Amino acid sequence: MSVATKLQSPVCETRSILGPGGNRARVSEDSKRKGEDLNKPQRTTMMTRKLVPEVPQSVVRNNGSVDSSCSSDSSSSGSSAKTVSSKKTVRRKGFRPVKIVPDGVEAAAPSPRVLGPPKRCDWITPNSDPIYTSFHDEEWGVPVHEDEKLFELLVFSQALAELTWPAILNKRDIFRKLFDKFDPSSVAQFNEKKLLSLKVNGSLVLAEPKLRAIVENAKQMLKVQQEFGSFSNYCWAFVNHKPIRNGFRYARQVPVKSPKADLISKDMMQRGFRCVGPTVIYSFMQVAGIVNDHLLACFRYGECNLNVKKDLKPKTEEPERLIEALEKKTNLSI
């Protein structure tokens, strides 16, 4: 067949309308009927879709049924609503599911939450002496500002060269009785006879050189009180009246001395204090709360930080006086 024959063919296809301004093609009645027959299932499908209304989101949330007025076919709408509600469960924000208990039936009480023991520093174990554990939980690392208490903790730090913390704490009442509740003015007046009478079960509570050092330190503490107003002001001036928070994670990270302890030790020895090496001073700083060496995982780390006095403001005069005194002593030694 030639091209001309194709062009002269009486059968022509109608073109679809490409826009609202296009010419509409006239379709014969047969073609219209065929189109209607082809479009009947589509129209039926479209009508069926229109008959089934979309379930509003609010109805799904409230678990309600669709109003029969929304559709001529109430049964089909009800089934569609059930299908939607079964497929999608919407929970209200801010509300928790509540268990409904029938009348006359007692609700079971919630089981109490079992809490384990608090996390402590690694050197406190279940086998530790209870008095040592209590000391860790209540005193160790708490900032101290009373002179008598600081003197007691300094003596205990010196005694660590001979005794352990549990042994010292078990003899704490004996120490307080022998040293007149660690009153520096009273201990400074101990004579030779009084010194040699500081015994427990027939033996001295500490070595004789250590006892003599304690008496000498009490005398030097009285001089510090006259110069700085209190021994507390003198000690806390080295850290600007703010505890040092190290925040170690492991016990192996905790040092036995520090540069700050070296500085305090040198100044105290220049003032006449005895048996106050850097290791003794750092133990004193730990127990007096001048440095917080509780491990980060220990529950006492945060509590000791809260125990810092809020109204305690840094005083600039005392550090300046301390620096001047240190400079004078340094110049004299040179």
Side-chain angles (χ1 to χ4, degrees):
M1 183 179 292
S2 63
V3 178
T5 307
K6 288 183 179 181
L7 293 174
Q8 292 176 0
S9 178
V11 180
C12 58
E13 296 179 359
T14 59
R15 291 182 298 175
S16 60
I17 300 172
L18 301 179
N23 294 328
R24 298 179 179 274
R26 295 181 180 181
V27 185
S28 61
E29 294 180 0
D30 295 335
S31 61
K32 285 183 180 180
R33 289 176 182 177
K34 291 180 180 180
E36 289 176 0
D37 294 336
L38 294 173
N39 293 333
K40 276 183 180 180
Q42 295 180 358
R43 290 181 181 178
T44 306
T45 306
M46 294 297 295
M47 290 179 64
T48 306
R49 291 180 182 176
K50 290 182 180 180
L51 289 175
V52 180
E54 293 183 2
V55 181
Q57 191 68 15
S58 59
V59 176
V60 177
R61 291 180 180 176
N62 297 329
N63 293 329
S65 63
V66 182
D67 191 5
S68 60
S69 62
C70 296
S71 174
S72 60
D73 192 355
S74 59
S75 61
S76 62
S77 63
S79 62
S80 62
K82 291 179 181 178
T83 305
V84 174
S85 61
S86 62
K87 289 183 178 179
K88 185 176 181 181
T89 304
V90 180
R91 299 182 67 180
R92 297 183 182 179
K93 295 182 178 179
F95 294 91
R96 294 182 178 179
V98 180
K99 185 177 180 181
I100 301 175
V101 181
D103 296 338
V105 178
E106 295 182 359
S111 58
R113 187 177 179 182
V114 179
L115 299 176
K119 177 65 178 177
R120 296 182 173 90
C121 295
D122 293 345
W123 51 87
I124 301 296
T125 64
N127 297 326
S128 297
D129 193 322
I131 194 171
Y132 185 40
T133 304
S134 300
F135 180 70
H136 167 273
D137 294 350
E138 299 172 6
E139 297 184 54
W140 197 82
V142 178
V144 178
H145 298 274
E146 295 78 17
D147 282 4
E148 290 77 9
K149 182 72 172 178
L150 288 171
F151 183 44
E152 176 184 6
L153 297 178
L154 179 61
V155 172
F156 289 166
S157 300
Q158 294 171 329
L160 286 174
E162 304 179 19
L163 304 172
T164 61
W165 269 119
I168 293 172
L169 295 172
N170 283 312
K171 297 180 179 179
R172 194 173 196 175
D173 294 335
I174 299 174
F175 274 101
R176 288 176 175 175
K177 183 178 180 181
L178 295 176
F179 291 100
D180 294 344
K181 298 181 180 179
F182 292 98
D183 182 8
S185 58
S186 178
V187 176
Q189 298 177 2
F190 281 8
N191 52 23
E192 189 73 14
K193 183 179 180 179
K194 177 67 175 178
L195 183 68
L196 297 177
S197 66
L198 302 176
K199 297 181 179 181
V200 177
N201 297 327
S203 59
L204 292 174
V205 66
L206 292 173
E208 185 176 340
K210 194 79 65 179
L211 295 176
R212 295 185 185 276
I214 292 172
V215 176
E216 184 63 28
N217 291 345
K219 295 177 181 179
Q220 300 303 325
M221 188 176 291
L222 296 177
K223 295 179 182 180
V224 170
Q225 289 177 343
Q226 293 177 358
E227 183 177 354
F228 294 93
S230 66
F231 185 66
S232 174
N233 291 337
Y234 167 76
C235 294
W236 283 95
F238 285 96
V239 293
N240 200 20
H241 295 270
K242 293 181 179 179
I244 300 173
R245 303 172 186 176
N246 285 325
F248 296 120
R249 295 181 61 186
Y250 306 104
R252 62 176 180 270
Q253 296 176 316
V254 180
V256 295
K257 60 181 180 179
S258 68
K260 186 68 68 175
D262 290 337
L263 178 62
I264 299 174
S265 175
K266 289 178 181 179
D267 185 73
M268 292 183 71
M269 286 190 290
Q270 289 178 359
R271 292 178 180 275
F273 286 85
R274 297 166 59 181
C275 297
V276 287
T279 304
V280 173
I281 293 302
Y282 194 74
S283 297
F284 168 70
M285 293 172 66
Q286 289 175 320
V287 69
I290 299 175
V291 58
N292 184 356
D293 266 351
H294 283 283
L295 300 183
L296 280 175
C298 179
F299 78 102
R300 288 294 294 163
Y301 177 78
E303 291 183 358
C304 288
N305 293 336
L306 295 176
N307 287 329
V308 179
K309 294 184 178 179
K310 296 181 180 181
D311 58 344
L312 187 62
K313 297 180 180 180
K315 300 179 181 179
T316 57
E317 296 181 358
E318 293 170 1
E320 290 177 357
R321 291 171 56 187
L322 182 60
I323 292 172
E324 291 177 359
L326 289 173
E327 289 178 352
K328 289 180 180 179
K329 290 183 177 290
T330 305
N331 295 331
L332 291 175
S333 62
I334 295 174

